[in-house]
Amino acid sequence: MANIHNMTFLKEKIDTLKEEGLYKELVTLEGPNESECIINGKKVINLSSNNYLGFANHPRLKQAAIDAINLYGAGAGAVRPIVGNMKIHDELEQILARFKREEAVLVFQSGFNCNAGTIQAVTEEGDLIISDELNHASIIDGARLSKAKKTTFKHSDMDDLERILKENKDKYKKMLIITDGVFSMDGDIAKLPEIVELAEKYKAMTYVDDAHASGVLGENGRGTVDHFDLHGRVDFTIGTLSKAIGVVGGYVAGKKVTIEWLINRGRPFLFSTALPPAVVGACIEAIKMLMESSEYTDRLWENATYFKKNIKDCGFDIGQSQTPITPIIIGDESKTKDFSKKLFEKGVFVSPIVFPTVPKGTGRVRCMITAGHSKDQLDKAVDIISQVGKEMKVI
Ligand code: PMP
């Protein structure tokens, strides 16, 4: 028998990834994640970050983290249901519930964990999960952990969603419609008002993952539900503390009874150690900053609108983007990677996104615009992108 301990079975899989152009290597930042950062000793304009509001290295968040460490220590010491639940965790949930205008909130260690824990806990055998085909991997994995049946509807296609609801309305105990609030690869916004209407018509529950809408859409970044004024009509709203909020963590907002159930049955909540105080303190400060002023979200949208207009005027195809996520569609996978490489050489870091993350032939570089970018940085980035676009005959 072959020696399994030398891991040739993994080496072979890695070789296949390389042959298919799907192999990933890590990029290392030599400092904080800001609008400009240092990679391989080179200063580049950073158009790849989810640090939408520039909070990741904000002095107020850093000070709040230090204060929390001084008050509560470096670690929580246990899972929350045993003895890891500190006053600071309760405070974060209270302020998030006020911010989201929901009855209650439960915080998980990440957005991924939150989806993994919540979907399986609120569905069971005899239920049907109906998921937009472009939903995030953590929703797919969360649904896989559930004993419910699963199906997908075509991306944002309300006719397809209604067909599924109509066909299945009497076959299941409950139906749960799940959608991203903002789709991470295209930057389009879910048709939430239509989804909610269909859900009400066919008596299904609704679940929105606002990872890319938290801190971005709605009044002062309250999310998609607020953006469409659908308060009280969405059953589960997921948010992340890892992107616009600038730190790490995830949460579910909803009815008190939902949170009570998840405290008892949300597996990552039950079995994984609580977030450390520094993280929680910094998140509280970030939410306070959002509640105090729209300064950060206003600047984000001003920058995004400015950049998108200039990129479009150059003749690039930015697809259906309605948010600061700005994909520049290149098409061919290897051309997309070359495009990104050339941008880096000229001083702009923007990740290539190719199959299987997006459909074959729709490779793109995904520009993430933040409140932290200066007009100068955005102008310089547009100049370089346009130069490379002309060189590579994309425009
Ligand atoms: N949901 C969506 C839609 C996301 O884009 C992400 C982040 N990639 C997550 C969940 C996971 O969030 P986190 O990074 O906090 O685990």
Side-chain angles (χ1 to χ4, degrees):
M1 203 161 72
N3 177 6
I4 53 166
H5 301 298
N6 60 15
M7 302 291 144
T8 33
F9 70 101
L10 293 183
K11 169 106 189 29
E12 282 161 12
K13 288 181 198 293
I14 288 170
D15 288 345
T16 311
L17 286 181
K18 284 183 178 164
E19 275 159 31
E20 291 172 350
L22 301 175
Y23 181 73
K24 287 193 174 68
E25 270 174 295
L26 290 181
V27 170
T28 303
L29 299 185
E30 291 151 36
N33 192 325
E34 293 207 302
S35 57
E36 229 168 29
C37 58
I38 300 177
I39 299 172
N40 296 339
K42 189 178 161 80
K43 200 184 211 188
V44 286
I45 298 169
N46 180 4
L47 291 189
S48 287
S49 170
N50 294 322
N51 181 21
Y52 285 109
L53 301 174
F55 282 2
N57 192 38
H58 196 287
R60 276 183 65 178
L61 271 75
K62 291 199 283 189
Q63 189 56 52
I66 293 165
D67 293 346
I69 288 180
N70 287 334
L71 264 175
Y72 291 97
V79 295
R80 286 180 67 193
I82 298 186
V83 69
N85 189 43
M86 295 165 157
K87 217 169 153 210
I88 199 164
H89 293 107
D90 295 344
E91 280 165 19
L92 175 58
E93 284 164 352
Q94 283 153 13
I95 196 170
L96 277 170
R98 284 209 303 282
F99 178 62
K100 298 293 288 186
R101 301 182 170 129
E102 293 279 357
E103 273 182 29
V105 160
L106 190 69
V107 168
F108 286 73
Q109 301 85 346
S110 72
F112 198 110
N113 260 356
C114 187
N115 280 327
T118 304
I119 299 170
Q120 64 162 321
V122 299
T123 54
E124 59 196 331
E125 207 169 336
D127 292 347
L128 178 67
I129 295 172
I130 309 168
S131 191
D132 186 291
E133 65 182 349
L134 293 191
N135 278 345
H136 187 253
S138 55
I139 294 177
I140 297 170
D141 287 7
R144 279 184 186 145
L145 291 169
S146 163
K147 293 206 172 82
K149 276 250 161 32
K150 298 111 202 170
T151 188
T152 55
F153 61 98
K154 288 189 198 131
H155 175 52
S156 279
D157 183 331
M158 295 302 107
D159 292 338
D160 199 38
L161 175 59
E162 180 152 25
R163 174 190 64 76
I164 294 170
L165 288 164
K166 206 183 268 176
E167 274 173 24
N168 293 290
K169 68 177 170 20
D170 299 318
K171 295 189 190 150
Y172 293 91
K173 283 194 274 186
K174 304 192 292 298
M175 296 191 287
L176 174 67
I177 305 169
I178 309 185
T179 183
D180 279 7
V182 170
F183 289 86
S184 53
M185 296 303 143
D186 293 276
D188 53 326
I189 303 173
K191 294 177 181 160
L192 204 53
E194 288 97 319
I195 293 176
V196 166
E197 267 182 34
L198 286 174
E200 286 169 353
K201 181 169 169 192
Y202 292 96
K203 302 192 173 21
M205 300 186 294
T206 41
Y207 185 113
V208 180
D209 178 345
D210 254 352
H212 283 278
S214 312
V216 176
L217 282 183
E219 188 195 354
N220 297 20
R222 282 175 166 79
T224 322
V225 171
D226 190 80
H227 173 74
F228 288 116
D229 196 14
L230 292 168
H231 290 288
R233 294 173 69 190
V234 172
D235 297 288
F236 312 95
T237 307
I238 306 308
T240 182
L241 302 164
S242 327
K243 300 183 194 293
I245 306 307
V247 199
V248 72
Y251 61 88
V252 52
K255 291 263 184 316
K256 272 198 180 121
V257 63
T258 303
I259 302 313
E260 207 181 326
W261 175 245
L262 290 172
I263 289 172
N264 285 276
R265 282 292 181 274
R267 291 173 69 81
F269 177 86
L270 289 170
F271 298 116
S272 183
T273 295
L275 282 175
V279 163
V280 181
C283 289
I284 292 174
E285 193 63 22
I287 301 300
K288 278 186 188 159
M289 284 160 66
L290 283 179
M291 287 172 89
E292 275 165 20
S293 149
S294 64
E295 175 194 341
Y296 302 96
T297 44
D298 289 349
R299 205 177 319 139
L300 168 67
W301 279 96
E302 201 185 296
N303 279 350
T305 309
Y306 180 74
F307 179 83
K308 285 166 80 168
K309 181 188 180 312
N310 290 346
I311 280 290
K312 258 174 135 171
D313 287 351
C314 292
F316 287 107
D317 172 10
I318 65 162
Q320 307 306 313
S321 169
Q322 298 168 283
T323 62
I325 299 172
T326 313
I328 298 181
I329 317 284
I330 311 288
D332 178 73
E333 280 71 26
S334 55
K335 194 170 177 184
T336 305
K337 287 185 174 173
D338 285 350
F339 194 87
S340 164
K341 220 194 251 161
K342 287 212 163 77
L343 291 180
F344 185 79
E345 283 159 15
K346 291 185 190 290
V348 178
F349 179 59
V350 51
S351 334
I353 313 267
V354 295
F355 178 81
T357 310
V358 292
K360 268 200 177 125
T362 71
R364 70 221 35 208
V365 291
R366 188 181 58 152
C367 304
M368 303 293 283
I369 308 309
T370 74
H373 287 109
S374 67
K375 284 269 167 6
D376 261 11
Q377 288 169 343
L378 295 176
D379 288 342
K380 200 167 154 203
V382 171
D383 275 355
I384 293 172
I385 294 169
S386 144
Q387 264 176 44
V388 174
K390 282 177 194 150
E391 261 172 53
M392 292 188 65
K393 302 199 173 3
V394 176
I395 48 170

